[in-house]
Each structure stands twice: as C-alpha cells, then as structure tokens.
Amino acid sequence: MSRINKNVVLALLTLTSSAFLLFQLYYYKHYLSTKNGAGLSKSKGSRIGFDSTQWHAVKKFIMLTSNQNVPVFLIDPLILELINKNFEQVKNTSHGSTTQCKFFCVPRDFTTFALQYHLWKNEEGWFRIAENMGFQCLKIESKDPRLDGIDSLSGTEIPLHYICKLATHAIHLVVFHERSGNYLWHGHLRLKEHIDRKFVPFRKLQFGRYPGAFDRPELQQVTVDGLEVLIPKDPMHFVEEVPHSRFIECRYKEARAFFQQYLDDNTVEAVAFRKSAKELLQLAAKTLNKLGVPFWLSSGTCLGWYRQCNIIPYSKDVDLGIFIQDYKSDIILAFQDAGLPLKHKFGKVEDSLELSFQGKDDVKLDVFFFYEETDHMWNGGTQAKTGKKFKYLFPKFTLCWTEFVDMKVHVPCETLEYIEANYGKTWKIPVKTWDWKRSPPNVQPNGIWPISEWDEVIQLY
C-alpha cells in the first residue's frame, strides 16, 4: 500500500509540473509577449519581411562584392527615390539595427547596381566566385565604340553589363567606363544570338536600352534594410539624370572616310583656330552649366561633330542652341564676367532672340534661341544693316549626350534630320562659302524690325 501511495504521489507531482509548464508557455505566448513586444514577429532585432527573395539576393550580392573588394554602388531609381524620401531615417540607422524591410523587399524582378570599371581589379575571379555562391551570371560584352575608327583595335571587347540571378531575383550590374571630360558612360545591352532570351525579363531593365552618360557621382555609405551600401550623395540628382542620359557616339568610321576623301586641314592657322574654338566652347559650357542652362551644339559646330568628329577649321565661330524657355536674364552678365564681351544682341525673348559674344583670337560664340511651334521648332536671325528678320525651321528634336573635344555635351538626338534641315542632303560636301541668309534650305523671311526697336538693338553691334 505504501508503494502504491508513493507512485500515485509521484504521478500527481509529474502531472502537476507538466500542467504548470504548459500554463507558463501559454501565459508567455499570449500575454507577456504581446505586452512587452517580445513575439517573434515583433521582437527587437527580428527581421520582419526579411524573408523576401530579393532581400536575400541583394544581401548575398553585397557580401560577394564586399569580400572581393568590388566597389559597387546602388543606382536603382525606385530604391533611390524611396531612400531620398526617408533619408533622415536611413541616415540615422546603424548596421544591423533595422527591424523592417522597406526598400529591398519591394516586389520586383531586378535590383540595379553600378561599378566603375577602372576600379575593378579581379573581374574573372569575381565571376567564378559568384557562380560558386549560387548565382547564375550572364556577361554582356561589346566592342569599345571609341576604337571604331582604328581598324586594328575596333574588335576589342569590353564588359558592359552583368546580370546575376539568384532564385527568382536578379542583380543588374551596370559597368561604367571613364570617358574624357570626367564623366561615366555605359553601353547598350545588346543580346547576342546565343543568349537565352528567357533568362530574365530583359525588357524590364531600366539601364541598357541605349548607351548612357552620367556625371561622376560622389558616393556615401548608408545602411539600408540592415545592409551597408554605397549610394550617390545626391540620390535625386542621379535619378533625374536617368531619363535624360541617352548617349550617341561620334561617327568615327564615317569621319575617317570623310578625311580620306577630303584631306584634313592641319595648317598652323587651322590648328590654332581649333584650339581657340575648343577653349571657347569649354568656357561657354562652364558658364551655362553654372547657370543651370541646358544647351546643345548647333549649326556648323554640330555639323563638324557629326561629319568629322571635330571642329570645322574654316567655320570661324562656335554655335550653340538653347530653348527659349531656358533663357535667364543674367546670361549676358555671366558671359561678360567670364571674359566674353557681348558682340551683338538681336531680337527679343519673345521673338528671334540671338546673342553673340567675342572670344579670344577673333573667334566668335553665337547663341541661338529656339522656339517651339505645334509641328516644328525654329530659331531667328537678323541682318544688321537692314533689320530684316529670318526664320530657320527644324523638325522637332530631343537632346542626347555625346563626347566632343573631350567634353560631355548635348546634340540633337535626331541629328541627321537636324543637319539636313540646316544644310540639305549635300551636307557631306564641304562648303567654305556660306550665306546664312540664302544658303540654308530651311530659311524663310520673318518680317523686319520696326525702326524704333531696331535702333535700340543695333547699338550693341
């Protein structure tokens, strides 16, 4: 009987202990965890939403690039916009302290980073390690367009884009190359025949539809969703550059063919003019960029870039175009402060405005202002002796970046149409005698300035 009582007591104690433990677990789960915020989904340091496929892909990519000293930086427009909107929060977040995934967990197919190629020391080794870590990587190469005019080097290929996929998310690594003029350039993502078109949804890529050019960004390190990343110091400036970044290359092969047919002028006078014209263009660009006024190569300067990748030595001036809506009242003063006195001013802001400034060595800077109509654009011209006005019609155009005399400058994207409007179908043939009142095929009369207004205008001439 004694033994039975002991067994019963032991069983009762065991049962009581088990019940007490179950009660403690229940109480902790349903009361204390809610009260103190200690539940798995809300505990300090937990990773709410950090189970997303894209976050893990980005994390692994950053680990890979960090371990291999590959200096990548984030250029994804969507994420940079989100970071900019929450910049104070991002700036004050320390590594590993983030509790919610707000940026890299936004559902999407790609996250985009960039790399400055001249800083990359171990490209092939990185590629192998990426695949060993589970990434499927695609490398897009193409010939360097800057070598197009040199037969022996035109076949040299350079890396332009990498796409590394982990599970269902892909990292798009855009390779930036340094160009003359201290800017960065990336190439066109053109798929070759052997590439699997279903590897990723290529059409959703935000970079690579065409070559692009960007100002060299200053970078800063921040913590985003618990991950340390480099981003442009001014995220919105970079984002605003993206839709206007399209780049078109000078036509090096055609320029070489042009000089085979028409020998280049390398006389002392021609070399001296080109040097002075280049310095004038650089000074004008610096002045307008400081004012925040966009401009492009126009007239003979644009023709020289398109036809022979150089300044036409007999043109005797530098020609720039500006949309009239970008006119600023302090343009004249800014040029004068830069050492370029006003030579003449024709027209008014509301009609046919044209400015001309005197550079060194008798090289002139002509600034033409363009007006937009329903189906065309135009700029004006005025005859100094008579006050006669002329109008030059152009088909509508947009602006692209290019490189000219070691500078990143704008030209009309629809360059051929622009050139043909101004110089006709025979623009390939050099013409040293040019009458701006009769020679252009797109010129038409535009009235005459009233004497009362004209006297005021020509006194600057």
Side-chain angles (χ1 to χ4, degrees):
M1 185 71 180
S2 175
R3 181 179 297 177
I4 294 174
N5 288 338
K6 288 181 179 179
N7 290 336
V8 170
V9 171
L10 183 61
L12 287 172
L13 287 172
T14 302
L15 183 62
T16 304
S17 298
S18 299
F20 182 70
L21 287 171
L22 289 171
F23 173 77
Q24 282 185 314
L25 287 172
Y26 177 84
Y27 183 75
Y28 176 80
K29 181 177 180 182
H30 291 278
Y31 293 94
L32 291 180
S33 63
T34 303
K35 182 178 179 181
N36 298 326
L40 291 177
S41 63
K42 297 182 180 180
S43 62
K44 184 177 180 181
S46 67
R47 295 295 194 221
I48 302 172
F50 278 60
D51 58 345
S52 77
T53 303
Q54 53 260 40
W55 182 82
H56 282 290
V58 171
K59 178 184 178 182
K60 208 164 187 178
F61 176 78
I62 290 175
M63 288 173 55
L64 166 65
T65 54
S66 177
N67 291 338
Q68 297 299 309
N69 295 316
V70 182
V72 302
F73 58 99
L74 183 71
I75 61 169
D76 197 291
L78 174 61
I79 299 177
L80 288 180
E81 283 189 41
L82 291 173
I83 289 173
N84 189 68
K85 290 177 182 177
N86 301 273
F87 195 69
E88 286 303 314
Q89 176 191 341
V90 171
K91 189 170 65 174
N92 296 321
T93 301
S94 58
H95 179 58
S97 65
T98 304
T99 59
Q100 291 186 344
C101 188
K102 295 182 178 180
F103 306 97
F104 290 127
C105 292
V106 178
R108 54 222 308 268
D109 296 295
F110 296 93
T111 301
T112 312
F113 288 82
L115 165 78
Q116 296 185 49
Y117 187 64
H118 67 284
L119 300 177
W120 200 357
K121 305 302 181 185
N122 185 24
E123 177 191 350
E124 294 302 323
W126 177 88
F127 196 75
R128 289 193 300 270
I129 294 170
E131 292 184 331
N132 290 336
M133 290 180 68
F135 284 101
Q136 292 176 276
C137 290
L138 177 66
K139 180 180 180 181
I140 308 294
E141 292 180 302
S142 188
K143 62 182 181 181
D144 190 334
R146 293 167 292 185
L147 306 178
D148 246 7
I150 308 173
D151 278 339
S152 60
L153 297 175
S154 60
T156 303
E157 293 202 333
I158 55 175
L160 300 178
H161 298 265
Y162 282 93
I163 297 176
C164 291
K165 184 171 68 172
L166 187 69
T168 58
H169 192 70
I171 305 296
H172 180 195
L173 181 58
V174 181
V175 182
F176 279 131
H177 295 265
E178 276 192 316
R179 297 285 295 250
S180 299
N182 196 34
Y183 69 96
L184 301 178
W185 169 90
H186 73 76
H188 182 198
L189 198 161
R190 184 179 285 109
L191 299 180
K192 297 182 179 179
E193 291 182 3
H194 67 278
I195 293 176
D196 180 9
R197 265 60 176 175
K198 297 180 180 179
F199 180 66
V200 290
F202 290 102
R203 292 185 179 181
K204 294 184 180 181
L205 290 173
Q206 294 177 287
F207 294 83
R209 294 176 187 173
Y210 41 73
F214 291 84
D215 295 335
R216 184 189 301 276
E218 187 179 350
L219 303 177
Q220 62 179 329
Q221 184 168 286
V222 294
T223 299
V224 181
D225 292 339
L227 305 174
E228 290 186 354
V229 294
L230 286 172
I231 66 169
K233 197 166 187 178
D234 186 347
M236 285 313 297
H237 175 72
F238 186 90
V239 170
E240 289 163 1
E241 283 187 279
V242 174
H244 309 290
S245 63
R246 186 175 179 179
F247 183 95
I248 53 180
E249 204 73 54
C250 179
R251 305 177 333 133
Y252 299 108
K253 285 183 178 179
E254 290 80 358
R256 187 178 61 174
F258 173 82
F259 287 123
Q260 287 175 346
Q261 185 172 3
Y262 306 100
L263 294 179
D264 194 8
D265 186 351
N266 290 315
T267 61
V268 174
E269 293 79 12
V271 171
F273 170 75
R274 280 178 169 150
K275 181 177 181 295
S276 297
K278 176 180 177 180
E279 291 173 353
L280 179 58
L281 178 57
Q282 290 173 332
L283 182 57
K286 182 179 179 181
T287 304
L288 291 171
N289 290 338
K290 190 174 181 180
L291 285 174
V293 175
F295 68 94
W296 65 91
L297 305 182
S298 190
S299 302
T301 307
C302 184
L303 175 63
W305 165 78
Y306 190 71
R307 186 176 67 189
Q308 54 213 70
C309 296
N310 208 335
I311 295 168
I312 299 174
Y314 52 83
S315 59
K316 304 305 179 189
D317 56 20
V318 171
D319 303 308
L320 301 181
I322 296 176
F323 292 121
I324 194 61
Q325 61 265 30
D326 294 320
Y327 170 81
K328 291 187 177 180
S329 58
D330 52 352
I331 281 181
I332 294 176
L333 180 60
F335 276 118
Q336 289 176 332
D337 289 343
L340 299 174
L342 183 67
K343 183 176 176 65
H344 68 235
K345 174 185 176 184
F346 294 135
K348 297 181 177 180
V349 173
E350 59 270 21
D351 179 22
S352 306
L353 182 64
E354 175 191 351
L355 301 176
S356 184
F357 299 90
Q358 186 61 58
K360 293 189 303 181
D361 303 320
D362 221 25
V363 182
K364 187 162 57 82
L365 172 68
D366 290 330
V367 181
F368 303 103
F369 289 87
F370 280 65
Y371 300 77
E372 184 172 359
E373 302 291 348
T374 303
D375 59 351
H376 67 278
M377 294 180 180
W378 64 276
N379 74 279
T382 303
Q383 188 176 23
K385 293 180 180 179
T386 64
K388 287 183 179 179
K389 298 183 346 181
F390 298 88
K391 179 183 285 189
Y392 302 86
L393 306 182
F394 293 85
K396 287 194 172 184
F397 58 89
T398 54
L399 297 181
C400 286
W401 291 112
T402 192
E403 185 174 311
F404 184 61
V405 294
D406 300 327
M407 293 176 60
K408 170 174 163 270
V409 292
H410 274 130
V411 292
C413 299
E414 301 77 12
T415 321
L416 181 59
E417 292 84 351
Y418 189 88
I419 295 290
E420 287 186 346
N422 220 8
Y423 296 98
K425 298 288 186 179
T426 59
W427 57 268
K428 291 182 181 180
I429 303 172
V431 177
K432 295 187 177 182
T433 303
W434 185 260
D435 184 344
W436 60 269
K437 301 180 294 298
R438 297 182 181 87
S439 298
N442 62 338
V443 65
Q444 64 180 43
N446 192 32
I448 189 169
W449 288 106
I451 294 177
S452 60
E453 296 180 8
W454 183 239
D455 289 341
E456 180 183 350
V457 175
I458 64 172
Q459 64 182 349
L460 294 169
Y461 184 73

